Amino acid sequence: MLPPVGPSGGPREPMHIGTVDSFDSREPLSTVSTLGTNAGSEARVESIERLGFLPVAVDTITASIALPFDLFVRTDPRVAPVLFRERQLALEAGDFDRFGDQGISTLYIRVADHVAYRSFLLDTVLRDEGVSVGKRFRVLQVANRAVFQLAFSSRNADQLVGFAGEYGEELARLVSDESVAACELLDLMAHDYYTYTHVTNVSVLVLLIAGRMGMGASDEIVALARGAVLHDIGKRHIAPVLLNQERPLTRRQREAIQEHAKLGFLELCHRRDVSWDQLMMVYQHHERCDGQGYPVGLVADEIHPWARMCAVADVYDAMSSSRPYRPAIPLKEVWEVLEGDRGSQFDREVVKALRAVVSS
Amino acid sequence: MIANSFLGKLPCEIVLPDDTRAQASAAQHVFDPADERRRFPRQRTRFDAALRYYNTFPALNRKEGMYRVMIRDLSRGGVGFLHGEEMFPGENARLVFPNGAERYLQVKRCRRMGPKCYVIGAEFDEPLQDLTEGRWR
Ligand SMILES: [Fe+2]
């Protein structure tokens, strides 16, 4: 039997780390981005900590391995989670059967344990060559979601840069794994356009494009991945209502959103742990080869090659994902934009590499 | 005072764009969206000044020395000018006016008008005392 549930009173649905088989996040772009402002970010982190728990998917836990965190269960959404298994103990096969019988797919950990949970996932699944690449990729995403969201909401860029360092390296390692087929990774991508999902997708796409274009040096690939993880960091400073506005933007609103490239650059430009190449991904990923982009209006190879890759990956993911103000755009139309008349906006070689990756 | 002959000898990398529309646009200030928010009213103007990079980003490998830039608008708090190189937000430089007055500036924005023509908007570290054109010309 599962333990009895405690008294009711979870104030609100806590931030969801995600599930392995569905990218079930209730963390919309707006909520995450609000955190960019100091007041918002403090309030958000505070509220997460006040809630005390983070949901984790049952199938991210491996049986018979001691857990480095306490695990909680909640059988009724109106009541708070109660302790199910103390740290240092493991879940056994019978536990999973009971979860299945009772329709429980989500367990809970304390917020304070999210780093332990992440390490547990990485150690038990990501480093396990016996686990399919698909599962490893999904676990990588699940394991990092909460860390990303907390980092994105933090007061300064330190946490996010640190996160980009680790996550970028993990993504680069996974994508460079020769047993991984690009199409397999593409199939696994979610298209919800939550910030974290977008960042992950753009990073993977950039890595696949770079691989196709012959960029081989592993340290360069890792640096590229880290830059991609950071590319939209400036969105922390844009009002979330603007990012999610359903009605058409006014010229001034559009200009306010466009500031994110510059704001991201300014936030990172004096850091020693962010290279100029990476900075250019942040600053120039909305530049277009025909000079119609922003913030500067550079043309063709005046734009940094890493930014040109990021631009194509960014547009591909943005168009093929649903937005608060429109559904996902069919892939056929996405390709028309990237390759058609308007294709002069994008680096032809980069688009060709993406096409090759997608149809491989 | 900086003699016009001195200014005239400084390297100037600006190539004004061929087409007249782009030229006209380069000739006026382009950063109107922020206008209403400016602390100091801006005046359109036309004169040359000397610019020296200062405390810039090492990755850019900026050359030492002074450049002639074309001032296009001026307020007590900042300046808009044309330059032959892209400059980056947060980048610093020293601007020497023809009358010898100097200000440090920090780049706020930069927009490309042509292959060697960028309009740069910058703020002074210390507001100008006076904006009479004669004084700064
Ligand atoms: Fe962006």
Side-chain angles (χ1 to χ4, degrees):
Chain A
M1 280 292 287
L2 291 169
V5 292
S8 85
R12 238 176 47 186
E13 189 65 20
M15 180 171 72
H16 203 280
I17 285 188
T19 63
V20 164
D21 293 317
S22 68
F23 291 87
D24 172 16
S25 164
R26 289 159 222 182
E27 194 65 12
L29 179 65
S30 58
T31 321
V32 176
S33 304
T34 321
L35 304 176
T37 62
N38 288 345
S41 97
E42 271 175 0
R44 179 67 182 159
V45 172
E46 213 178 86
S47 81
I48 290 165
E49 286 175 352
R50 204 169 52 234
L51 289 169
F53 294 101
L54 292 172
V56 301
V58 167
D59 56 2
T60 60
I61 310 288
T62 306
S64 307
I65 296 181
L67 303 168
F69 44 82
D70 293 333
L71 199 57
F72 296 77
V73 70
R74 181 160 70 157
T75 49
D76 181 338
R78 291 164 303 180
V79 298
V82 292
L83 183 64
F84 180 74
R85 190 64 33 96
E86 273 183 77
R87 67 186 62 217
Q88 306 307 335
L89 299 175
L91 285 186
E92 301 304 339
D95 296 320
F96 289 96
D97 293 342
R98 276 177 289 161
F99 293 145
D101 292 345
Q102 299 196 28
I104 291 173
S105 59
T106 302
L107 300 170
Y108 296 83
I109 60 169
R110 289 194 183 91
V111 168
D113 281 336
H114 77 269
V115 174
Y117 170 73
R118 177 175 179 270
S119 311
F120 173 80
L121 283 189
L122 298 182
D123 290 343
T124 54
V125 181
L126 206 65
R127 311 274 179 261
D128 184 349
E129 300 288 317
V131 175
S132 76
V133 167
K135 181 157 183 181
R136 275 193 277 154
F137 177 58
R138 284 177 294 174
V139 162
L140 181 64
Q141 287 185 291
V142 168
N144 285 291
R145 181 165 222 133
V147 185
F148 171 83
Q149 285 169 350
L150 290 171
F152 204 83
S153 68
S154 72
R155 183 185 283 266
N156 63 40
D158 286 351
Q159 276 194 50
L160 203 51
V161 172
F163 171 82
E166 288 179 29
Y167 189 50
E169 189 168 348
E170 284 156 1
L171 282 175
R173 192 183 321 167
L174 194 72
V175 175
S176 308
D177 186 328
E178 280 168 11
S179 67
V180 181
C183 58
E184 197 180 350
L185 291 176
L186 292 170
D187 286 348
L188 292 168
M189 282 180 181
H191 293 287
D192 51 21
Y193 206 74
Y194 294 142
T195 302
Y196 173 71
T197 311
H198 176 64
V199 158
T200 301
N201 291 356
V202 168
S203 306
V204 169
L205 290 166
V206 161
L207 287 167
L208 292 171
I209 290 168
R212 195 77 197 185
M213 294 180 81
M215 190 166 158
S218 65
D219 49 350
E220 212 179 16
I221 289 281
V222 170
L224 180 75
R226 288 172 172 160
V229 173
L230 291 172
H231 81 278
D232 259 345
I233 187 173
K235 282 206 176 143
R236 287 157 29 104
H237 305 290
I238 306 299
V241 288
L242 274 190
L243 294 171
N244 282 341
Q245 183 167 304
E246 288 182 24
R247 55 178 196 281
L249 296 166
T250 64
R251 184 174 70 109
R252 190 148 295 186
Q253 286 174 329
R254 200 173 318 111
E255 283 164 357
I257 290 178
Q258 291 178 352
E259 286 285 286
H260 80 274
K262 186 181 84 180
L263 294 173
F265 174 86
L266 283 169
E267 185 161 27
L268 299 177
C269 66
H270 294 296
R271 298 184 66 102
R272 288 166 181 272
D273 50 2
V274 179
S275 71
W276 190 258
D277 299 321
Q278 292 165 334
L279 275 176
M280 290 302 95
M281 293 177 91
V282 175
Y283 187 54
Q284 297 181 342
H285 71 272
H286 288 287
E287 297 287 357
R288 296 291 177 258
C289 290
D290 59 3
Q292 297 304 303
Y294 64 86
V296 179
L298 299 172
V299 299
D301 55 9
E302 291 172 355
I303 307 165
H304 192 286
W306 291 15
R308 278 180 266 152
M309 287 193 250
C310 196
V312 170
D314 185 62
V315 167
Y316 180 86
D317 183 61
M319 291 185 75
S320 53
S321 302
S322 57
R323 298 286 195 104
Y325 45 87
R326 60 145 173 81
I329 294 169
L331 274 184
K332 188 170 164 283
E333 285 172 46
V334 175
W335 284 113
E336 275 167 20
V337 168
L338 289 172
E339 293 177 326
D341 287 347
R342 288 163 67 191
S344 59
Q345 294 184 341
F346 304 99
D347 184 317
R348 297 258 177 224
E349 293 304 310
V350 173
V351 174
K352 231 198 277 176
L354 178 62
R355 180 62 120 171
V357 161
V358 170
S359 34
S360 64
Chain B
M1 288 287 284
I2 304 184
N4 268 344
S5 57
F6 172 76
L7 261 179
K9 280 181 192 149
L10 291 179
C12 178
E13 306 194 331
I14 306 163
V15 179
L16 285 172
D18 282 343
D19 81 274
T20 36
R21 245 185 65 217
Q23 269 214 40
S25 144
Q28 30 180 292
H29 57 76
V30 293
F31 302 121
D32 49 321
D35 266 5
E36 289 85 333
R37 298 195 292 269
R38 292 173 77 88
R39 244 185 337 143
F40 302 109
R42 176 157 45 179
Q43 242 177 43
R44 210 183 291 178
T45 182
R46 277 177 90 94
F47 63 89
D48 292 353
L51 177 123
R52 182 198 290 277
Y53 291 114
Y54 165 81
N55 197 11
T56 175
F57 300 113
L60 292 170
N61 285 322
R62 296 292 195 197
K63 277 186 251 150
E64 285 284 318
M66 292 183 121
Y67 295 86
R68 183 158 53 89
V69 297
M70 299 177 180
I71 307 292
R72 284 299 177 261
D73 63 74
L74 188 66
S75 77
R76 284 186 55 211
V79 63
F81 62 92
L82 301 186
H83 187 27
E85 291 190 305
E86 180 185 2
M87 291 184 76
F88 289 83
E91 199 173 3
N92 300 299
R94 190 141 177 87
L95 195 67
V96 185
F97 291 94
N99 68 352
E102 299 185 20
R103 282 293 182 281
Y104 285 107
L105 58 81
Q106 186 171 72
V107 174
K108 295 294 161 190
R109 45 184 67 80
C110 171
R111 187 83 195 158
R112 181 192 190 274
M113 305 309 304
K116 277 182 164 285
C117 183
Y118 295 86
V119 190
I120 288 148
E123 263 176 33
F124 297 133
D125 66 329
E126 188 190 323
L128 298 174
Q129 312 248 323
D130 191 317
L131 197 55
T132 57
E133 191 124 357
R135 179 163 176 193
W136 297 104
R137 210 165 171 129

